[in-house]
Amino acid sequence: MSDSQENGKGFGTNPIIKNIYTADPAPMVCGDTLYLYTTHDEDVLINDFYTMVDWRCFSTKDMVHWTDHGKIFSLDDIAWADSRAWAPQAIERNGKFYLYCPVHKTGGGMAIAVGVSDHPTGPFKDLGAPMIDEGDWNDIDPTVFIDDDGQAYLYFGNPELRYVKLNEDMISYDTNVGIVKVPMTEESFAKGSHMTGTSYGEGPWFYKRNGLYYMVYAAFSAKEKEDDHRDEHLAYSTSTGPTGPWVYGGVLMTEEGGVFTNHPGIADFKGHSYLFYHTGELPGGNLFHRSVCVAEFTYNADGSIDTIPKCSGVSGV
Ligand code: FUB
């Protein structure tokens, strides 16, 4: 899988993965390699809905040439789940790799599984039980970050943003703190048309840069409801602390993807900043057949980010 043009270092064209439908990109930089975890939209749908049974991994050293590591974790590896292999995120700690994955629990609602591996490309082994399981449908789209003081946080949720403080083992959380519900205010997430009355929808991506914490997410604007137009855009909020209060920052990407969902993944790699997202732009694309793309962007001096246009690809690094 590669594309080349221009600039001596080549040019990687969007969508990044052209041979299968992928969505929900989650980059993880490890050494000189960027690993990209994705979901996988099956070609053939069951019940005309998201049909997703496994997670995929791809890697690159230059943003142009990508190695396909295939299926790295699947519903077959999670005995207590029966469907909906949804948006994951991976992180490394003390030489082990943790892949947080929303799934549908057999006989229950959505829950968050953790796969553990000695290698970024798996195989990942399930814990044998959900790590987050509130018995409702909010437990999706985990995003994980380890702060400078070693405290790890896992945020997740649709329609509410919630978080736990992970224990050092990364497979359990501080039950004294419990599952914290973030106040869903307009100051934090802007007025919008999702169920909390804010724009926050789902797909949070939590990270820190130059002392500022960022929460990037898929969002529904207030205007979209008036128009009965419900495609997601990407937005972001910031905070001076890991648990808020969050302050709405603005729109990161308009509804350019042409499909109902979008999903952000942010990474700094070899001196460049990237937003991974998904669209419906592969042939045959639609809301259940998405494709992962990437755009390069820069931060303003105060840490704010201007709206990032959907693009044809990125230059090699
Ligand atoms: O891909 C399935 C779900 O759609 C994800 O969990 C959401 O973020 C949205 O992209």
Side-chain angles (χ1 to χ4, degrees):
M1 221 183 303
S2 71
D3 303 278
S4 59
Q5 279 179 31
E6 63 178 63
N7 100 348
K9 292 182 175 173
F11 188 83
T13 57
N14 281 326
I16 296 170
I17 294 113
K18 298 172 172 60
N19 58 332
I20 59 170
Y21 296 111
T22 57
D24 306 318
M28 180 189 74
V29 175
C30 196
D32 69 348
T33 303
L34 184 146
Y35 294 91
L36 182 63
Y37 300 85
T38 73
T39 54
H40 171 208
D41 288 337
E42 295 287 338
D43 289 0
V44 178
L45 299 181
I46 298 172
N47 296 331
D48 202 24
F49 190 62
Y50 297 102
T51 304
M52 303 163 72
V53 299
D54 56 26
W55 295 272
R56 301 297 178 114
C57 184
F58 306 84
S59 69
T60 185
K61 291 182 188 300
D62 61 8
M63 296 303 289
V64 176
H65 302 88
W66 289 87
T67 300
D68 184 349
H69 300 283
K71 173 169 73 175
I72 45 99
F73 198 37
S74 87
L75 294 177
D76 289 342
D77 304 316
I78 307 173
W80 50 270
D82 63 4
S83 59
R84 301 190 187 189
W86 283 6
Q89 189 177 344
I91 199 165
E92 184 267 343
R93 183 165 208 169
N94 297 330
K96 286 209 178 293
F97 296 85
Y98 301 89
L99 186 66
Y100 299 88
C101 300
V103 287
H104 181 256
K105 181 181 168 183
T106 307
M110 292 299 287
I112 296 176
V114 190
V116 185
S117 177
D118 293 328
H119 303 283
T121 55
F124 286 90
K125 188 172 176 353
D126 175 52
L127 300 182
M131 187 181 76
I132 306 281
D133 178 15
E134 300 176 274
D136 64 18
W137 293 84
N138 195 80
D139 297 349
I140 68 167
D141 294 358
T143 178
V144 61
F145 170 72
I146 303 171
D147 209 347
D148 299 335
D149 62 0
Q151 177 63 58
Y153 298 85
L154 188 92
Y155 276 87
F156 57 93
N158 173 353
E160 293 181 359
L161 184 63
R162 301 175 184 170
Y163 73 84
V164 293
K165 292 174 86 167
L166 291 172
N167 294 326
E168 187 153 358
D169 64 11
M170 301 297 277
I171 59 172
S172 63
Y173 63 87
D174 185 336
T175 50
N176 292 321
V177 175
I179 298 175
V180 182
K181 295 186 175 187
V182 173
M184 303 304 291
T185 65
E186 290 182 17
E187 291 73 27
S188 292
F189 304 110
K191 184 174 167 57
S193 59
H194 204 36
M195 291 150 78
T196 62
T198 74
S199 79
Y200 175 84
E202 56 183 355
W205 186 268
F206 178 44
Y207 67 104
K208 182 183 187 180
R209 193 174 189 278
N210 293 339
L212 194 60
Y213 296 83
Y214 291 80
M215 190 67 68
V216 182
Y217 48 91
F220 295 98
S221 73
K223 182 172 177 295
E224 286 164 356
K225 192 168 191 181
E226 287 159 20
D227 294 351
D228 200 23
H229 187 89
R230 298 279 300 170
D231 285 357
E232 292 175 340
H233 65 273
L234 301 182
Y236 78 101
S237 304
T238 60
S239 173
T240 53
T243 58
W246 295 97
V247 178
Y248 181 69
V251 172
L252 208 59
M253 176 171 272
T254 60
E255 314 158 28
E256 292 174 271
V259 291
F260 169 61
T261 64
N262 199 346
H263 192 105
I266 303 264
D268 280 353
F269 183 56
K270 300 191 174 175
H272 300 258
S273 297
Y274 297 101
L275 166 68
F276 293 84
Y277 58 100
H278 67 227
T279 70
E281 67 193 76
L282 263 189
N286 56 45
L287 78 167
F288 301 130
H289 293 117
R290 300 161 292 177
S291 44
V292 166
C293 297
V294 62
E296 185 172 352
F297 71 97
T298 55
Y299 291 84
N300 298 318
D302 63 357
S304 62
I305 313 170
D306 296 332
T307 302
I308 302 166
K310 174 174 170 283
C311 69
S312 62
V314 295
S315 295
V317 292

